[in-house]
């Protein structure tokens, strides 16, 4: 159970502690932040509201711990990460319980998130050993005008202190996707978890504590992003920010100093459906892609662009599947569970009402109870409706009927987002041309958008992000290349 057994030391009364310098601590602020259970809409947990002085202390410890860690052999870093991954998987039940209670993640998906996170950490350890164990050797005479008098040796060195800020929807997985690469590359890491998801993150961090990482190498400061976010992201002790979330990331990018940024932000993933598509496959993918975790996924299908000639048939197939979705509490492993906050539910409702006023066809009745919103397919959506462009982050899916493929590509590319997209057709040649024309970081052919498997490159264009994730790319991003040049007194060419 959460906060008991191995996790008892992270709880003080009914308030979870924060993690600094290898210890679980109470904040001197005396303030706490309540985490509201999206299902009951009552306070489920409380966490410390860390002060600026505590953030300063964490940054100091992170800086000195990193110096020693960078001198720790790669295989030892990997060994500790493997240990943490095993402990994480061993404790999947209490962590999953937190995910159910604080972000209303369906019970089975909550367990999968923890197991996937353990696998990600192990894979990162292995990949790090491979790619950080290699460098480059260059000779000078390949560039015009040079003799072979210089040998250049390059290796990848850590950046220093990495600040990791994940969003609420995959708090554990998107935290470890930053923690693993940071640590294997010899960095220290400061985690600021999302408020909804903080307690899951604190349990996950305790697994790293139990694995025996050095003091100060990993820290976790809790508090509302709106209160401590700017102080953290503009802190002079931070050498790199890895952020996943919404538009907040754009604001952070404008304020951050001259440090590398990894930004994975929102999306409005389009699903383009051609006349020759297998409509049963499309319908199954629209359900999985549009409604899993109630649409609260960055890579959820957020607009369907279907050729008019097959639109009626597709909508009918999707509606038949929508009718089978189980709506209810996450504890019962329902397909559709309450959205994360009341303000999210209100935002989603605003998009629905706008579509209603402007004449969208409601395939189901709009129904809401507290934060629980029943799945809704909106047909005949037009570009003047907000839902055609905005990210609902809820179980509401617009269908726009198109008369040409170009119209679909145009809608996709007119979005300020460019995360992923998908295209359904049996014609692979057409699929590749459409994929090339779509201005998104990834295009899936004949499947819904997805972030995994976690070692695939994952990136967004335009307002969807800066840089690329995926295990290898994240390790590379959290390092810098260092060169050492050996200068010879005279040219030297080795003979065969
Ligand atoms: P969010 O509101 O942007 O919050 C993300 C994180 O930023 C949270 O930890 C939040 O903490 C923190 N934060 C808030 N204000 C901050 C500030 N001023 N400075 C620093 N940090 C601050 O996003 P969300 O609602 O959690 O997640 C939903 C969004 O994430 C969607 O737009 C979704 O598309 C996107 N997302 C993108 C990806 C991707 O990989 N592209 C993956 C998943 C989700 P608090 O919770 O304490 O406010």
């Amino acid at each position: 159970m959460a906060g008991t057994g191995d996790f008892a030391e992270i709880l003080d009364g009914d308030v979870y502690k924060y993690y600094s310098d290898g210890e679980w601590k109470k904040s001197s602020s005396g303030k706490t932040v309540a985490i509201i259970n999206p299902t009951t809409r009552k306070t489920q947990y409380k966490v410390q509201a860390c002060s600026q002085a505590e953030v300063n202390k964490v940054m100091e410890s992170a800086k000195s711990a990193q110096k020693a860690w960078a001198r720790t052999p790669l295989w030892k870093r990997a060994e500790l990460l493997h240990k943490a991954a095993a402990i994480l998987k061993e404790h999947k039940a209490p962590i999953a319980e937190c995910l159910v209670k604080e972000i209303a993640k369906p019970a089975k998906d909550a367990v999968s998130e923890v197991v996937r996170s353990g696998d990600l950490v192990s894979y990162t350890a292995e990949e790090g050993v491979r790619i950080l164990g290699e460098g480059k050797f260059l000779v000078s005479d390949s560039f015009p005008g040079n003799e072979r008098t210089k040998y250049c040796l390059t290796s990848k060195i850590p950046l220093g202190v990495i600040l990791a800020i994940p969003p609420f929807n995959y708090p554990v997985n998107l935290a470890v996707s930053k923690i693993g690469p940071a640590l294997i590359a010899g960095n220290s890491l400061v985690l600021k978890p999302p408020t909804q998801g903080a307690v899951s993150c604190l349990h996950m961090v305790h697994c790293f504590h139990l694995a025996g990482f050095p003091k100060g190498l990993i820290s976790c400061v809790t508090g509302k992003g709106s209160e401590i976010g700017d102080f953290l992201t503009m802190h002079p002790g931070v050498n790199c920010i890895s952020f996943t979330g919404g538009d907040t990331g754009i604001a952070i990018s404008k304020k951050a100093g001259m440090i590398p940024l990894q930004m994975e932000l929102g999306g409005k993933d389009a699903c383009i459906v051609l006349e020759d598509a297998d409509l049963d496959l499309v319908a199954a993918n629209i359900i999985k892609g549009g409604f899993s975790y109630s649409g609260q996924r960055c890579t959820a299908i957020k607009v369907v662009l279907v050729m008019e000639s097959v639109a009626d048939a597709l909508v009918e197939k999707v509606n038949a599947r929508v009718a089978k979705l189980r709506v209810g509490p996450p504890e019962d492993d329902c397909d559709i569970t309450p959205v994360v906050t009341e303000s999210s539910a209100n935002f989603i409702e605003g998009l629905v009402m706008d579509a209603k006023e402007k004449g969208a066809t409601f395939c189901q009745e709009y129904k809401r109870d507290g934060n629980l919103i029943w799945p809704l397919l909106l047909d005949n959506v037009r570009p003047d409706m907000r839902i055609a462009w905005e990210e609902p982050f809820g179980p509401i899916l617009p269908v726009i009927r198109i008369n040409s493929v170009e119209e679909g590509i145009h809608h996709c590319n007119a979005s300020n987002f460019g995360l992923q997209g998908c295209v359904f057709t049996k014609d692979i040649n057409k699929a590749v041309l459409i994929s090339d024309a779509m201005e998104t970081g990834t295009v899936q052919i004949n499947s819904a958008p997805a972030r995994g498997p976690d070692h695939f490159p994952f990136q967004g264009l335009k307002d969807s992000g800066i840089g690329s994730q995926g295990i290898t790319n994240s390790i590379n991003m959290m390092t810098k290349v260092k060169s050492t040049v050996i200068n010879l007194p005279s040219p030297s060419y080795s003979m065969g």
Side-chain angles (χ1 to χ4, degrees):
M1 219 184 120
T4 62
D6 281 347
F7 297 102
E9 69 173 294
I10 76 172
L11 191 58
D12 178 62
D14 64 346
V15 186
Y16 279 90
K17 298 185 213 167
Y18 76 104
Y19 187 60
S20 163
D21 220 10
E23 286 172 27
W24 291 96
K25 297 180 181 171
K26 279 169 70 175
S27 170
S28 59
S29 72
K31 292 186 196 152
T32 60
V33 177
I35 295 169
I36 310 297
N37 181 322
T39 312
T40 62
R41 292 191 290 154
K42 296 201 170 100
T43 298
Q44 180 72 42
Y45 302 121
K46 288 182 199 157
V47 293
Q48 312 287 330
C50 290
S51 67
Q52 295 189 351
E54 284 154 352
V55 169
N56 285 337
K57 181 75 192 65
V58 153
M59 293 296 173
E60 268 171 43
S61 312
K63 192 172 178 179
S64 64
Q66 192 269 326
K67 300 279 175 230
W69 183 243
R71 289 190 195 96
T72 305
L74 200 42
W75 68 266
K76 274 198 187 173
R77 294 184 214 158
E79 197 174 72
L80 274 176
L81 282 170
H82 281 300
K83 198 168 165 195
I87 296 172
L88 192 59
K89 285 163 91 169
E90 195 185 313
H91 291 97
K92 59 181 186 286
I95 303 175
E97 177 195 322
C98 301
L99 291 169
V100 168
K101 301 288 182 205
E102 58 182 345
I103 60 163
K105 182 154 283 193
K108 279 190 192 146
D109 292 350
V111 173
S112 306
E113 177 172 344
V114 184
V115 173
R116 171 184 177 184
S117 300
D119 291 340
L120 191 158
V121 172
S122 292
Y123 192 104
T124 305
E126 286 166 23
E127 182 72 346
V129 165
R130 281 194 288 271
I131 66 171
L132 296 167
E134 287 179 355
K136 269 191 173 179
F137 170 62
L138 294 91
V139 287
S140 50
D141 62 305
S142 54
F143 198 87
N146 285 274
E147 284 284 3
R148 191 171 295 192
T149 51
K150 293 173 190 285
Y151 294 164
C152 178
L153 306 172
T154 74
S155 60
K156 287 172 192 154
I157 58 167
L159 296 175
V161 179
I162 312 286
L163 173 64
I165 306 181
F168 81 84
N169 59 347
Y170 290 87
V172 174
N173 186 261
L174 289 172
V176 300
S177 73
K178 304 171 188 314
I179 296 173
L183 298 186
I184 193 69
N187 300 288
S188 58
L189 185 125
V190 175
L191 174 67
K192 156 41 199 135
T195 295
Q196 301 291 140
V199 175
S200 314
C201 279
L202 292 170
H203 282 74
M204 174 272 294
V205 167
H206 193 55
C207 295
F208 282 78
H209 170 81
L210 294 173
F213 281 89
K215 284 184 174 200
L217 191 70
I218 308 169
S219 321
C220 185
V221 285
T222 49
K224 284 191 181 155
S226 53
E227 285 167 18
I228 55 163
D230 283 355
F231 190 72
L232 276 161
T233 53
M234 293 195 278
H235 199 284
V238 172
N239 302 113
C240 166
I241 302 173
S242 178
F243 176 92
T244 308
D247 287 351
T248 319
I250 298 177
I252 292 173
S253 308
K254 289 180 180 151
K255 288 186 231 167
M258 213 178 86
I259 52 172
L261 301 177
Q262 187 179 43
M263 293 281 158
E264 290 295 344
L265 311 181
K268 184 74 183 172
D269 294 6
C271 171
I272 300 183
V273 186
L274 271 54
E275 280 129 334
D276 68 341
D278 173 343
L279 295 184
D280 288 310
L281 177 74
V282 182
N285 273 277
I286 287 177
I287 293 296
K288 181 170 107 214
F291 295 103
S292 297
Y293 188 34
S294 310
Q296 298 173 112
R297 295 165 52 249
C298 55
T299 54
I301 293 179
K302 293 188 185 125
V303 58
V304 176
L305 301 159
V306 56
M307 291 295 283
E308 178 68 61
S309 59
V310 291
D312 284 344
L314 179 65
V315 166
E316 196 183 320
K317 283 179 191 291
V318 175
N319 280 336
R321 285 175 158 84
V322 167
K324 290 187 189 146
L325 291 173
R326 288 172 56 240
V327 181
E331 287 83 354
D332 294 351
D333 204 39
C334 288
D335 303 303
I336 304 293
T337 56
V339 296
V340 68
T341 56
E342 192 172 340
S343 63
S344 297
N346 292 342
F347 174 76
I348 296 163
E349 186 162 291
L351 294 177
V352 172
M353 292 309 143
D354 175 78
K356 190 173 186 180
E357 276 163 29
K358 292 174 184 162
T361 306
F362 279 50
C363 298
Q364 293 78 24
E365 185 195 346
Y366 173 65
K367 209 169 147 193
R368 172 180 169 185
D369 178 10
N371 293 1
L372 187 60
I373 294 178
W374 270 251
L376 174 60
L377 194 72
L378 294 171
D379 195 3
N380 295 304
V381 164
R382 291 191 321 267
D384 64 324
M385 299 176 191
R386 287 175 57 202
I387 191 74
W389 305 104
E390 294 181 41
E391 188 186 23
F393 236 57
I396 311 295
L397 186 58
V399 176
I400 297 181
R401 294 168 175 242
I402 53 174
N403 291 303
S404 68
V405 171
E406 289 68 31
E407 211 183 306
I409 294 169
H410 175 77
H411 186 92
C412 167
N413 292 351
S415 170
N416 58 318
F417 291 120
L419 191 58
Q420 289 208 1
C422 58
V423 53
F424 285 86
T425 170
K426 292 190 186 111
D427 185 335
I428 188 68
N429 297 329
K430 268 193 199 161
V432 170
L433 293 177
I434 293 168
S435 166
D436 284 346
M438 288 170 81
E439 293 166 4
T440 61
T442 304
V443 174
Q444 305 268 350
I445 296 173
N446 292 325
S447 185
R451 195 163 50 84
D454 288 317
H455 66 304
F456 280 13
F458 180 60
Q459 53 280 318
L461 306 185
K462 300 190 269 185
D463 284 354
S464 290
I466 300 175
S468 177
Q469 280 194 88
I471 290 171
T472 314
N473 287 346
S474 290
I475 296 173
N476 284 329
M477 186 268 165
M478 292 178 187
T479 60
K480 206 168 168 88
V481 173
K482 164 88 185 243
S483 302
T484 300
V485 180
I486 301 168
N487 291 274
L488 302 174
S490 56
S492 176
Y493 294 86
S494 61
M495 298 299 130

